[in-house]
Amino acid sequence: MEIGDVNMATTTLSMKAHQAWSAGNARRCVRLADAARWHDGRVTPGVRGMARKDCPA
């Protein structure tokens, strides 16, 4: 379903990053959050904002 839809792909990666953070896996969170921001220029502002807040400091 996410193939070809950068908003869905970014949302999925962002949610997985949040799950990793919640599980205490900071390294995985950072990797997934970086992957979520890979399409940064092609996603809607709301999705972009969600992807930027994945791994709190």
Side-chain angles (χ1 to χ4, degrees):
M1 169 90 40
E2 292 86 9
I3 296 173
D5 186 340
V6 293
N7 286 305
M8 286 297 292
T10 299
T11 299
T12 300
L13 289 166
S14 177
M15 289 294 155
K16 287 182 180 257
H18 180 74
Q19 287 177 325
W21 180 261
S22 296
N25 191 339
R27 181 174 289 170
R28 182 168 169 78
C29 178
V30 169
R31 285 195 316 256
L32 287 164
D34 285 345
R37 289 187 289 269
W38 191 73
H39 292 292
D40 211 19
R42 295 186 290 171
V43 297
T44 61
V47 172
R48 188 177 317 127
M50 182 179 60
R52 289 183 192 264
K53 60 120 186 103
D54 289 323
C55 302

